[in-house]
DNA sequence: TTGAAAGCGTTACCAA
DNA sequence: TTGGTAACGCTTTCAA
């Protein structure tokens, strides 16, 4: 209460400008400074409130046409752009949807899915933020994400109940987990890749193959999908041998030789790309496909249809990005809705010539 | 001045809490409300300033160990997470790097590149925001982006000088365009896909092929790359025929027939995937490759090595994501640096068996 | 129809 | 060593 009580609480920035820009009172924004709505107001000769009304087309208030024009012209002249952070600070919420990025390139199918989802969300006027958790554990990652106060989070499987609690408590209206298992207290899109393995295993068994090799990519980060796919094959009742395979020709040749030594009569190759790699190595070594060994991939990529023999595969249907974005939007509007658990991964075999 | 004038200007939220949560003054945050640093301060019995000092490890100030502990415990108990928007509002800047997403799936090479870049930026502690411009024209898009006050923008080619002006004026320290041509006033990473076409054309000419078909994907959005690649082939001096091709087997069969009718002796197939598609159609129609018609792709994907004949291709080297992220970081620290124009796309032919 | 002012959650200056 | 307070840019209620 000693000095400068509350003399001119309204125009502090104007004071700063006077210092840095030169002359006195009604100056424009300082050179190099970003114009604010106050600058627009000053230039248009109105109050900040009026500027806000005009630029947001607030319908509850009637502003005269001349005033509107003056404000708009001032805004344009200054190149004024509203400040999203300030706006959402005031509003108390954001339109941010957080999508933690998978750490690893994760195949054309899934990344296409994420991409589509992203676009669909943008179209619904959400701001999609990709956040790398970068070496943070579950809870630390959740805290980092929570700083952005996202209205919704689409979390990969790693997220546990604690992380979810942190996000919810920070104001996230919706947390949706994508993964093999539901997490208590939130919506879940179950994407159980065991189904993929099961489909492949059942198909191979039906064709009379018992001893099945399952390709396990050596590439980091693919375990997330590879392990459940393996488990699925095992559940189908086939006799399973793991075949580690790096995405390189040399390693494929080695794996092909190994596979023949083991006397396996079929291979589930993780996906179509690894299948193509391994199939080529087998053919180069003189193996007959599917006579000596049957090969099945997954993801139903175009390339499978182009191989000879044509590659059998497991087709994976994921919901469209638009559909999912719609779900997110619906849940944001009605956050009280009971946790929804949806099985969204549908696997079906596409028999072709390689099995 | 009728009710509740300005009695307790300091604790408005506390007042709200009193209403919704029950008892009087020093309550915790209202149930369901997001805890703020003020809540932490209250619980720890210190001021907000002290909370800030403790949680940010401000070195300029010495806080007693017991106080630190009290603050930290209070924060943990409440599940306090700082509010990024408030922080950056106060700070006057963000660590947001805006990366407008391409509207279309754009091939494994480029999307891998973007993905890598994104991770590298996260690792440098930037927040990467993917923004879909969704039908906004250049300037409107720029304005939408500017609302986030990004410290840096990595813009696709579309951005013109006006858009750049808007971003710069809104406080973006760095704008980098990715595209075929530099834009005045900013840094540019020149990715000139004509080089790809030139390399392919030169290679085919050197092998004695004159009449070259150039595959033009019918898929939307790929023109961005396809047109310059076409132009590059034309510049190489070959006689060029455009071959529109959708990424489907049927259309490939049609295109293959058409190509043979035209008597072309070589094809540059846009990329390896289209090359594989077309090559298969040609082979199925009984064409000898490279005897009757030579085929060259681009991007040097693994699949090219697995085809028979092995696919010749144009290898594209882009800088690593880490390198680029480093560049962004350097420019952010030194925004005054003269605009840098770097040619980052290096194309080299990888001759194999298909030419 | 317009304006004044409060307040969103932070941090940083200055005083105690 | 700690606390009070102003200020970041915006929206919105209340008054005029």
């Amino acid at each position: 209460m000693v000095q400068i009580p509350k003399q001119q609480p309204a125009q502090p920035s104007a004071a700063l400008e006077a210092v840095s820009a030169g002359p006195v009172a009604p100056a424009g924004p300082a050179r190099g400074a970003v114009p604010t709505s106050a600058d627009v107001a000053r230039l248009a000769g109105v109050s900040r409130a009026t500027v806000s009304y005009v630029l947001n087309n607030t319908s509850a208030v009637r502003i005269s046409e001349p005033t509107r024009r003056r404000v708009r012209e001032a805004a344009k002249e200054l190149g004024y752009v509203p400040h999203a952070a300030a706006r959402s600070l005031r509003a108390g919420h954001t339109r941010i949807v957080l999508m933690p990025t998978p750490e690893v390139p994760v195949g054309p199918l899934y990344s296409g899915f994420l991409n589509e989802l992203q676009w669909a969300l943008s179209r619904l006027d959400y701001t999609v933020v990709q956040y790398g958790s970068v070496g943070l554990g579950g809870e630390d990652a959740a805290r980092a994400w929570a700083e952005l106060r996202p209205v919704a989070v689409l979390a990969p499987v790693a997220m546990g109940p604690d992380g979810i609690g942190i996000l919810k408590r920070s104001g996230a209206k919706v947390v949706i987990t994508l993964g093999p298992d539901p997490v208590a207290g939130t919506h879940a899109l179950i994407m159980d890749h065991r189904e993929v393995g099961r489909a492949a295993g059942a198909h191979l068994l039906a064709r009379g193959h018992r001893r099945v090799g399952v390709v396990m990519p050596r590439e980091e980060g693919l375990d997330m999908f590879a392990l459940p796919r393996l488990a699925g094959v095992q559940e189908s009742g086939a006799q399973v041998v793991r075949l580690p395979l790096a995405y390189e020709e040399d390693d494929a040749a080695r794996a092909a030789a190994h596979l023949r030594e083991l006397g396996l009569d079929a291979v589930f190759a993780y996906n179509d790309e690894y299948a193509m790699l391994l199939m080529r190595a087998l053919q180069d070594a003189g193996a007959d496909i599917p006579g000596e060994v049957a090969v099945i991939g997954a993801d139903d990529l175009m390339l499978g249809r182009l191989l000879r023999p044509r590659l059998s595969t497991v087709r994976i249907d994921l919901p469209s990005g638009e559909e999912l974005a719609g779900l997110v939007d619906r849940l944001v509007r009605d956050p009280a809705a009971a946790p929804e658990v949806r099985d969204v991964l549908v696997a079906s075999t596409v028999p072709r010539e390689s099995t």
Side-chain angles (χ1 to χ4, degrees), chain A:
Chain A
M1 283 191 202
V2 187
Q3 301 169 310
I4 314 175
K6 36 180 70 179
Q7 303 178 153
Q8 314 220 3
Q11 304 197 355
S13 58
L16 279 176
E17 290 148 21
V19 172
S20 58
V24 267
R31 227 197 91 68
V34 182
T36 72
S37 74
D39 296 317
V40 176
R42 215 167 312 147
L43 182 56
V46 300
S47 74
R48 291 182 4 264
T50 305
V51 171
S52 177
Y53 292 144
V54 171
L55 297 183
N56 295 310
N57 288 315
T58 306
S59 53
V61 188
R62 292 247 159 288
I63 308 276
S64 68
E65 197 47 50
T67 304
R68 304 187 94 92
R69 200 173 13 249
R70 279 217 315 286
V71 169
R72 277 198 259 266
E73 277 168 8
K76 172 166 290 181
E77 177 173 338
L78 293 176
Y80 168 72
V81 175
H83 190 306
R87 176 179 293 179
S88 59
L89 183 58
R90 166 70 221 223
H93 59 258
T94 70
R95 302 267 306 165
I96 292 177
V97 175
L98 202 67
M99 286 183 55
T101 342
E103 316 215 4
V104 183
V106 87
L109 188 84
Y110 192 63
S111 64
F113 165 73
L114 291 179
N115 203 47
E116 206 187 314
L117 176 55
Q118 201 176 113
W119 269 93
L121 285 169
S122 297
R123 216 161 355 238
L124 293 178
D125 202 38
Y126 291 97
T127 301
V128 178
V129 175
Q130 301 257 26
Y131 211 105
S133 8
V134 188
L136 298 175
E139 301 205 19
D140 288 331
R143 250 184 299 273
W145 301 341
E147 293 195 359
L148 297 179
R149 298 291 190 271
V151 67
V153 179
L154 299 176
V157 56
M159 182 94 329
D162 300 324
I164 303 224
I166 293 174
L167 292 171
K168 282 274 183 70
R169 226 172 304 124
S170 81
K173 293 232 195 76
V174 178
V175 178
I176 301 182
T177 61
L178 311 180
D181 301 300
V183 178
T186 24
H187 312 281
L189 298 179
I190 306 294
M191 305 197 345
D192 187 354
H193 284 257
R194 275 174 303 189
E195 304 236 353
V196 179
R198 269 186 228 122
H203 174 73
L204 293 175
L205 282 174
R207 301 252 164 152
H209 304 289
R210 306 276 135 191
R211 311 201 55 225
V212 177
V214 173
V215 168
M216 302 297 289
R218 291 187 199 270
E219 279 69 29
E220 296 277 328
L222 263 37
D223 281 355
M224 192 182 143
F225 301 123
L227 287 173
R229 289 184 184 189
L230 169 69
V233 182
Q234 286 166 327
E235 286 173 26
S236 72
Q239 181 185 342
V240 169
V241 178
R242 299 158 77 120
L243 294 174
L245 172 58
Y247 197 59
E248 300 161 4
E249 282 189 280
D250 290 349
D251 202 44
R254 186 205 49 73
H258 184 53
L259 183 161
R260 300 179 86 188
E261 280 167 24
L262 293 174
L264 303 180
D265 53 11
V267 180
F268 169 58
Y270 176 66
N271 73 9
D272 287 350
E273 294 180 315
Y274 283 84
M276 179 181 185
L277 176 64
L278 185 60
M279 199 161 107
R280 169 51 62 200
L282 284 167
Q283 289 176 322
D284 284 351
D288 174 47
I289 298 175
E292 179 182 333
V293 50
V295 178
I296 186 167
D299 290 2
D300 191 21
L301 302 184
M302 167 68 79
L303 63 81
R305 265 166 286 182
L306 304 177
L307 299 178
R308 298 296 179 267
R310 292 181 170 82
L311 181 67
S312 297
T313 190
V314 178
R315 178 183 158 81
I316 298 177
D317 286 306
L318 295 175
S320 73
E322 208 164 313
E323 199 179 331
L324 234 58
L327 173 66
V328 172
D329 191 47
R330 189 161 60 70
L331 293 176
V332 166
R333 292 178 199 282
D334 176 20
E340 225 171 287
V341 176
R342 267 201 221 183
D343 213 329
V344 296
L345 185 153
V346 177
S348 50
T349 59
V350 180
R352 289 202 274 249
E353 302 162 0
S354 68
T355 47

